[in-house]
Amino acid sequence: MARRVISSGKDVQETDQSGGRRSGRSISSEHAEGRSIEGYADRSKAEGFVDARRLQSEDLVSKTLQETTGTIGIMTRPKVVDFGERLKERRQAGARAIVLRVLIGLVVAVVLGAVVWLFLFSSVFRLEPGNISVVGANEWVSESQVLDIARQQSGKSLFLVSDGAVEKQIKAIPGVTSAKSKKQLPNSLEVTIKAQKPAAMLKTSEDHMTAVDSKGRVLNSVSGVSVEGIPVIEVQNVDASLSRRPIKEALKILSSLPESMRNSITKVTAATQDSITTELNGGDRVIVWGDSSDLKLKKAVVDKIVNDPNVIGDKHNVDVSAPLRPIIK
């Protein structure tokens, strides 16, 4: 008996090979089922679902065997981490690091201590009195005066010697205009000074002579020293005169004069602070300076007048107390 199958509005009939009609699903049903499966897969992809039928199978056993195989092909056991042992190892490593730091600190401290001892306290750099020398002393500023000050630094390390303190004290010596100390490794000190001759000799009525510098300080008295070429000022009392303005002005003027003129001075008078006068060559020339103001200009005017015969003529006195209006008579 023929079977009628309805598919898409059409009747389909099948006949088996024996001439009878086939009793089974229709071709349309089979195509419909295939389209249904493909539609499901498409929907799975669109909606993010996974079709288990399409997944690739994985052999987990083989993968595990590969991961546990050693370098020479022998299977090894997976490494098992013992957290207690790891913590113990970390603590030991930390302790070793602390010990190493302490040892390094001790070594550094010992080295620094040795360096400090070597440079500051050992005898290698210790300044001894016999290693101090003086350059520039003269008969008015004796070497012993300078050494007495410099030797106060003896016994110290050369690196602890204060150059500033040494120079300051030496400059305070009357007659010293400059001082410079120089350290010479490993343990020597050289002091170089510039010592001036006396600006003048103060002569009292008892014929006692006292050498003083340009600042009115009494210089070292040395017996047997020649005073030739040093201007002489007659005073009543040395200490009292040094505190008076006329003597201070006279010392400033005398100390600034060139050596050639100083050697020619035979007399100095300082009755007032505005009337400082010098006599040259026993009165052959008399220079009235006034005070110590405009001293550079005054010296230039005197040099021009005295050394020009056409200007000085037969005159003997030159007054430059007002240097812009000198008086010659």
Side-chain angles (χ1 to χ4, degrees), residues 17-312:
Q17 295 178 354
S18 61
R21 292 180 180 173
R22 183 180 179 183
S23 60
R25 293 184 303 174
S26 66
I27 297 176
S28 298
S29 298
E30 293 176 356
H31 286 296
E33 184 179 354
R35 288 194 298 271
S36 175
I37 293 173
E38 293 177 357
Y40 175 78
D42 294 338
R43 287 196 304 270
S44 297
K45 293 181 179 179
E47 298 176 5
F49 298 105
V50 178
D51 187 355
R53 292 174 299 177
R54 295 179 177 270
L55 292 177
Q56 184 180 0
S57 62
E58 183 178 5
D59 190 348
L60 298 178
V61 176
S62 298
K63 183 179 180 182
T64 302
L65 291 176
Q66 291 176 1
E67 292 176 350
T68 57
T69 300
T71 56
I72 59 177
I74 301 176
M75 293 183 60
T76 59
R77 293 179 59 188
K79 184 176 180 180
V80 179
V81 178
D82 189 340
F83 291 100
E85 289 296 329
R86 292 293 300 275
L87 180 60
K88 184 178 179 180
E89 291 176 359
R90 289 182 180 179
R91 289 177 177 174
Q92 291 176 349
R96 286 194 296 269
I98 293 174
V99 172
L100 182 61
R101 291 192 189 99
V102 171
L103 290 177
I104 293 175
L106 289 176
V107 171
V108 172
V110 170
V111 172
L112 288 178
V115 171
V116 170
W117 177 83
L118 174 65
F119 286 98
L120 302 184
F121 302 104
S122 70
S123 59
V124 177
F125 299 100
R126 184 180 301 156
L127 179 63
E128 301 295 343
N131 294 334
I132 301 175
S133 59
V134 178
V135 178
N138 59 14
E139 59 272 22
W140 304 103
V141 180
S142 66
E143 182 177 318
S144 61
Q145 286 179 291
V146 180
L147 285 176
D148 288 342
I149 294 175
R151 284 173 178 169
Q152 295 176 8
Q153 303 292 327
S154 61
K156 297 181 181 179
S157 168
L158 195 65
F159 297 99
L160 296 177
V161 173
S162 175
D163 291 331
V166 172
E167 294 169 2
K168 183 178 180 180
Q169 293 181 56
I170 293 176
K171 288 178 182 178
I173 298 176
V176 175
T177 56
S178 66
K180 183 68 177 179
S181 63
K182 181 181 179 181
K183 299 175 182 178
Q184 297 178 334
L185 293 175
N187 54 7
S188 300
L189 181 68
E190 181 182 85
V191 180
T192 302
I193 65 171
K194 184 176 181 181
Q196 62 178 199
K197 290 183 177 181
M201 302 293 294
L202 301 185
K203 180 181 179 181
T204 61
S205 56
E206 293 84 9
D207 289 339
H208 178 74
M209 306 257 301
T210 302
V212 295
D213 67 2
S214 59
K215 297 181 180 179
R217 299 177 299 181
V218 178
L219 299 180
N220 181 46
S221 297
V222 181
S223 59
V225 177
S226 174
V227 297
E228 184 178 355
I230 300 175
V232 177
I233 305 175
E234 295 184 0
V235 297
Q236 296 295 324
N237 181 277
V238 173
D239 294 333
S241 298
L242 291 176
S243 62
R244 294 176 57 237
R245 183 69 180 274
I247 298 300
K248 292 181 180 180
E249 291 293 309
L251 293 176
K252 289 180 182 179
I253 294 172
L254 294 174
S255 63
S256 69
L257 298 179
E259 197 67 21
S260 58
M261 183 175 289
R262 283 170 53 84
N263 292 333
S264 301
I265 295 175
T266 53
K267 184 179 179 181
V268 180
T269 57
T272 65
Q273 66 185 31
D274 299 320
S275 61
I276 310 302
T277 303
T278 58
E279 292 184 5
L280 308 180
N281 300 322
D284 182 54
R285 294 284 186 272
V286 178
I287 311 298
V288 181
W289 300 93
D291 58 18
S292 62
S293 63
D294 298 324
L295 195 54
K296 187 175 181 179
L297 176 59
K298 291 179 180 180
K299 289 189 293 182
V301 172
V302 169
D303 182 69
K304 177 65 176 177
I305 294 175
V306 172
N307 294 316
D308 189 345
N310 295 325
V311 177
I312 187 68

